[in-house]
């Protein structure tokens, strides 16, 4: 159904759209099958890229007008209508792009800001995010480091290459990558399009905010998340000592007796200095679990997207490692996530048995979704409903405005990157070549008195060619970091519409509670409990925003200072080269 380019040395088979291949082994596993083309070449092809034909080679759906077929198609269309409409919107918002790595970020794709009411349209109980965010075969490693879970256990999870929607090469087809990324993000929304089986997560068994607001009574959980009031209002309690996690040493591994390869990364927490190894799909599992557990209260930005082709190219691996590092640093910096048992287990398991037991325990956790608020204990007075609503609206207004500003800077930055790596260096090169051509013409006159001038003009031309190279390379030294920071915050901001939506849904439930009291469906005490619990949600939102603002101030101060420092150095280098060129001209 699609073109697929084989990775060299990875036992894969290149196929083209419309090509018919013979399946020689349909049971390879992990989303792959083995096939043979008309030339007799054999290799592995992703199962999502092919469609099984009947023996006569005809498309089975070309005459699929049976009742069973029609029933299947009807059910499929109903379940995927929402996902397809989201993907269509994303595709309509694409911006033409060059070869710069940020070309997929300029379109509006974070959250649901552009709707008439980006907050009011959220379904009850929606807690997952709709954000997206985009991405050396070395033998380095530490012998003492645990090498990660056994490959046999890996088959339970999605592979790097198991998601056909993220098949676009990172630097080659940004529009397809954007559409795939949007679909990947939308697949995690807490609705019918969510790809995760909801029965794996007990907290989602009862949809709607009532699960938290009307629980009688709330169980006293073992885990507790305190909220205190500091100088700037409600805040999470920060640990006495902080840590980061270094993501390094990407190296190639294999499974299925060498048929399939993958890249795993070494993670070293700075507080233990003991390393563990994880593949991308282990990060993806952690992301899904954090999203399910904390996504109602804390923005969990997506990981760099999956990719089918080019997974073992050096540039892709370096970019993915850089973004995994940034993602892990964000998680380590958060006082709630970093101290959670789930996150600590991901970094500190000691062997395969401990990994598997921790994984199973995390997947059986019932304190997920809206029930995460039942673990929170604000050390603050109760809030009235009006103040709760005002706080919610203030967060919504700011995050919406910041999202617009971040998108604008990403768009402008992308355009500047394309100009610096495209037409601008060529302009300098043209000036340089024109000056050198002029010097050549002057030299042909045979006049002896102009030798110094001709040499100076030639050197000036070479200087402009050097400047062209500096211009083309400069974005990697300064704009890159500014764009990466904005990309991260775009991911964070894309989480807020659903978080705000959950809060507004809870507020509406409290407003409706008067009718329930009047009809004796709930007691006045039940309503009072609902207001108190929505107040807890409000304190959690304010605590998260205080954390968000403190990080925002630090991050943008750092990254814009770096950008300006590098720009100063860049122009000083150019000025020095021009001064040297000027010094070669004779004084008349």
């Amino acid at each position: 159904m699609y073109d697929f380019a084989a990775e060299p040395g990875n036992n894969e088979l290149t196929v083209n759209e419309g090509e018919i291949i013979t399946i020689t082994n349909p049971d390879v596993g992990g989303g792959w099958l083995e096939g043979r083309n008309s030339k007799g070449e054999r290799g592995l092809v992703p199962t999502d890229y092919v469609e099984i034909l009947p023996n006569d080679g005809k498309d089975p759906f070309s005459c699929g007008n049976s009742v069973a077929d029609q029933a299947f198609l009807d059910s499929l269309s109903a379940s995927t209508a929402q996902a397809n409409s989201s993907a269509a919107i994303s595709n309509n918002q694409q911006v033409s792009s060059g070869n710069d790595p940020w070309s997929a970020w300029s379109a509006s794709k974070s959250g649901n800001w552009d709707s008439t009411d980006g907050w009011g349209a959220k379904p009850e109980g929606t807690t997952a995010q709709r954000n997206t965010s985009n991405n050396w075969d070395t033998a380095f490693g530490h012998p003492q480091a645990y090498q990660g879970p056994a490959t046999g256990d890996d088959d339970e999870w999605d592979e790097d290459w198991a998601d056909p929607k993220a098949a676009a090469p990172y630097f080659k087809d940004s529009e397809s990558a954007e559409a795939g990324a949007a679909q990947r993000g939308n697949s995690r929304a807490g609705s019918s399009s969510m790809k995760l089986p909801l029965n794996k997560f007990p907290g989602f068994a009862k949809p709607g905010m009532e699960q938290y607001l009307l629980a009688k009574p709330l169980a006293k959980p073992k885990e507790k998340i305190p909220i205190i009031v500091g100088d700037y209002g409600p805040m999470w309690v920060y640990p006495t000592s902080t840590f980061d996690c270094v993501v390094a040493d990407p190296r190639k591994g294999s499974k299925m007796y060498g048929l399939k390869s993958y890249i795993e990364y070494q993670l070293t927490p700075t507080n233990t200095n003991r390393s563990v190894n994880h593949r991308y799909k282990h990060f993806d599992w952690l992301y899904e679990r954090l999203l399910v557990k904390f996504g109602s209260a804390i923005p969990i930005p997506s990981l760099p997207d999956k990719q089918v082709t080019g997974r073992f190219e050096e540039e892709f691996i370096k970019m993915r490692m850089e973004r995994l590092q940034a993602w892990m640093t964000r998680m380590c910096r958060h006082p709630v996530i970093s101290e959670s048992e789930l996150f600590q287990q991901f970094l500190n398991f000691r062997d395969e048995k401990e990994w598997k037991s921790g994984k199973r325990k995390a997947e059986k956790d019932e304190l997920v979704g809206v029930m995460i608020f039942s673990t929170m204990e604000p050390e603050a007075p109760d809030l009235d409903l009006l103040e709760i609503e005002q706080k919610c609206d203030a967060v919504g207004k700011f995050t919406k405005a910041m999202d617009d500003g971040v998108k604008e800077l990403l768009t402008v930055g992308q355009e500047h990157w394309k100009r610096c790596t495209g037409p601008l260096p060529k302009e300098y090169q043209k000036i340089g070549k024109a000056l050198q051509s002029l010097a050549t013409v002057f030299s042909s006159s045979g006049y002896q008195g102009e030798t110094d001038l001709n040499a100076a003009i030639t050197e000036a031309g070479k200087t402009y060619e050097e400047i062209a190279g500096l211009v083309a390379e400069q974005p990697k030294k300064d704009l890159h970091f500014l764009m990466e920071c904005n990309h991260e915050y775009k991911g964070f901001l894309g989480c807020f519409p659903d978080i705000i939506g959950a809060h507004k849904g809870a507020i509406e439930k409290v407003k409706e509670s008067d009718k329930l009291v009047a009809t004796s469906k709930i007691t006045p005490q039940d309503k009072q409990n609902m207001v108190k619990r929505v107040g807890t949600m409000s304190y959690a939102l304010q605590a998260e925003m205080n954390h968000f603002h403190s990080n925002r101030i630090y991050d943008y101060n750092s990254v814009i200072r770096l950008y300006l420092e590098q720009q100063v150095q860049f122009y000083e280098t150019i000025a020095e080269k021009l001064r040297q060129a000027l010094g070669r001209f004779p004084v008349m």
Side-chain angles (χ1 to χ4, degrees):
M1 294 187 292
Y2 315 103
D3 292 339
F4 174 71
E7 292 283 350
N10 205 28
N11 297 307
E12 296 172 354
L13 178 67
T14 296
V15 294
N16 298 313
E17 182 179 352
E19 180 181 0
I20 295 178
I21 64 173
T22 302
I23 298 174
T24 56
N25 183 2
D27 299 318
V28 175
W32 293 82
L33 55 80
E34 185 182 53
R36 182 180 67 247
N37 62 17
S38 58
K39 299 177 183 178
E41 300 168 332
R42 298 166 65 114
L44 300 175
V45 180
T47 55
D48 290 322
Y49 276 54
V50 302
E51 185 175 33
I52 308 301
L53 300 177
N55 291 333
D56 59 4
K58 294 180 180 178
D59 186 341
F61 288 102
S62 62
C63 56
N65 54 4
S66 69
V67 175
D69 286 345
Q70 189 59 48
F72 169 76
L73 292 173
D74 289 343
S75 64
L76 182 65
S77 63
S79 64
T80 59
Q82 181 178 358
N84 288 341
S85 63
S86 299
I89 291 171
S90 177
N91 282 325
N92 289 333
Q93 292 174 332
Q94 302 310 309
V95 176
S96 61
S97 60
N99 291 325
D100 62 288
W102 298 279
S103 56
W105 301 345
S106 58
S108 172
K109 64 179 180 178
S110 57
N112 191 24
W113 303 109
D114 298 327
S115 63
T116 303
D117 184 357
W119 309 114
K122 302 298 171 189
E124 289 181 17
T126 297
T127 57
Q129 274 62 51
R130 312 185 83 152
N131 61 301
T132 62
S133 43
N134 231 354
N135 359 267
W136 306 292
D137 293 330
T138 65
F140 302 140
H142 299 281
Q144 73 273 20
Y146 174 58
Q147 300 304 305
T151 55
D153 190 51
D154 289 347
D155 293 331
E156 299 176 28
W157 305 334
D158 291 340
E159 292 287 358
D160 249 3
W161 28 260
D163 190 347
K165 295 185 283 294
Y170 182 65
F171 290 99
K172 297 176 183 176
D173 187 357
S174 59
E175 184 169 327
S176 298
E178 173 87 355
Q183 291 180 21
R184 181 169 186 258
N186 287 341
S187 73
R188 294 194 171 104
S191 63
S192 60
S193 64
M194 189 172 183
K195 75 174 185 178
L196 298 170
L198 298 183
N199 58 4
K200 288 180 68 176
F201 309 121
F204 284 93
K206 299 177 182 178
M209 194 56 65
E210 298 93 334
Q211 182 188 4
Y212 166 64
L213 295 180
L214 293 175
K216 296 184 178 182
L218 283 176
K220 288 293 183 181
K222 293 181 181 179
E223 54 182 303
K224 295 181 180 180
I225 303 176
I227 300 173
I228 61 175
V229 177
D231 294 339
Y232 298 97
M235 57 183 291
W236 305 119
V237 176
Y238 286 78
T240 54
S241 61
T242 59
F243 69 95
D244 198 357
C245 177
V246 179
V247 181
D249 291 349
R251 51 184 174 178
K252 199 171 186 178
S254 62
K255 59 180 290 187
M256 292 192 297
Y257 304 101
L259 286 176
K260 291 309 304 171
S261 301
Y262 55 84
I263 299 296
E264 66 178 6
Y265 303 86
Q266 184 182 80
L267 278 65
T268 308
T270 56
N271 58 341
T272 65
N273 207 32
R274 192 181 68 84
S275 300
V276 295
N277 287 349
H278 279 298
R279 295 171 56 181
Y280 173 86
K281 66 179 183 179
H282 301 162
F283 286 94
D284 199 41
W285 176 87
L286 175 64
Y287 164 74
E288 297 282 9
R289 291 309 319 171
L290 290 174
L291 188 67
V292 166
K293 184 168 181 64
F294 297 109
S296 296
I298 298 170
I300 310 292
S302 288
L303 293 167
D305 267 324
K306 297 179 181 179
Q307 182 158 313
V308 174
T309 58
R311 289 180 294 115
F312 302 113
E313 294 177 3
E314 181 175 330
E315 284 301 313
F316 172 75
I317 293 172
K318 289 172 65 176
M319 180 61 76
R320 169 172 277 186
M321 185 174 71
E322 179 181 343
R323 290 181 173 171
L324 288 175
Q325 175 68 77
W327 191 86
M328 287 299 296
T329 296
R330 292 287 178 190
M331 299 301 102
C332 290
R333 198 188 290 184
H334 198 286
V336 175
I337 292 173
S338 63
E339 294 296 301
S340 67
E341 184 178 358
L342 168 62
F343 192 72
Q344 289 290 327
Q345 192 271 342
F346 184 79
L347 294 178
N348 296 314
F349 64 93
R350 297 184 176 275
D351 52 36
E352 182 181 347
K353 181 179 179 181
E354 188 174 330
W355 165 260
K356 286 185 176 180
S357 64
K359 177 175 173 287
R360 291 192 188 98
K361 181 179 180 181
E363 290 173 350
K364 292 179 180 178
D365 188 0
E366 295 189 5
L367 292 173
V368 297
V370 295
M371 294 309 294
I372 192 62
F373 294 109
S374 67
T375 68
M376 298 178 181
E377 298 182 347
E379 298 177 6
D382 293 343
L383 299 172
D384 61 49
L385 195 61
L386 178 60
E387 186 175 2
I388 293 170
E389 195 165 14
Q390 290 173 342
K391 297 290 186 183
C392 184
D393 289 340
V395 172
K397 183 177 180 180
F398 174 81
T399 51
K400 169 65 172 68
M402 183 175 174
D403 184 70
D404 291 339
V406 165
K407 286 191 295 187
E408 180 181 4
L409 187 53
L410 282 172
T411 300
V412 172
Q414 175 198 337
E415 293 171 352
H416 183 61
W417 181 285
K418 290 164 67 176
R419 179 168 172 76
C420 287
T421 56
L424 193 55
K426 292 178 182 177
E427 295 298 322
Y428 282 103
Q429 289 172 350
K430 288 178 181 178
I431 294 173
K433 291 184 183 300
L435 288 172
Q436 292 177 73
S437 296
L438 183 64
T440 301
V441 172
F442 283 0
S443 298
S444 67
S445 70
Y447 184 69
Q448 298 298 318
E450 62 178 349
T451 303
D452 290 344
L453 173 62
N454 293 343
I457 295 176
T458 298
E459 289 302 314
K462 292 179 179 178
T463 297
Y464 271 90
E465 289 188 320
E466 291 178 13
I467 290 174
L470 292 174
V471 170
E473 290 297 314
Q474 186 60 26
K476 297 179 183 178
K477 299 178 181 179
D478 49 30
L479 184 58
H480 169 80
F481 301 102
L482 182 59
M483 295 289 279
E484 286 291 318
C485 182
N486 271 276
H487 173 52
E488 285 187 72
Y489 273 89
K490 186 176 177 65
F492 276 114
L493 292 163
C495 302
F496 276 103
D498 289 313
I499 292 176
I500 297 296
H503 283 69
K504 288 209 167 188
I507 292 169
E508 290 303 314
K509 290 296 179 186
V510 174
K511 289 181 177 179
E512 294 170 4
S513 63
D514 286 333
K515 296 180 182 178
L516 299 177
V517 172
T519 56
S520 300
K521 292 183 178 179
I522 64 173
T523 67
Q525 183 61 45
D526 290 333
K527 179 188 174 180
Q528 188 176 342
N529 289 340
M530 290 175 69
V531 175
K532 183 178 180 65
R533 290 172 187 177
V534 174
T536 297
M537 294 176 65
S538 179
Y539 276 123
L541 182 62
Q542 294 175 64
E544 183 55 35
M545 286 308 296
N546 274 327
H547 176 76
F548 180 86
H549 287 314
S550 64
N551 278 270
R552 173 180 58 84
I553 292 169
Y554 174 84
D555 291 333
Y556 277 92
N557 180 66
S558 300
V559 76
I560 295 178
R561 280 182 59 90
L562 173 64
Y563 179 78
L564 294 176
E565 288 167 358
Q566 289 295 319
Q567 283 279 292
V568 169
Q569 185 176 333
F570 168 63
Y571 285 109
E572 285 178 345
T573 300
I574 291 177
E576 181 59 29
K577 287 186 174 295
L578 292 173
R579 274 192 290 267
Q580 291 175 6
L582 177 62
R584 295 188 179 97
F585 282 81
V587 178
M588 307 300 284

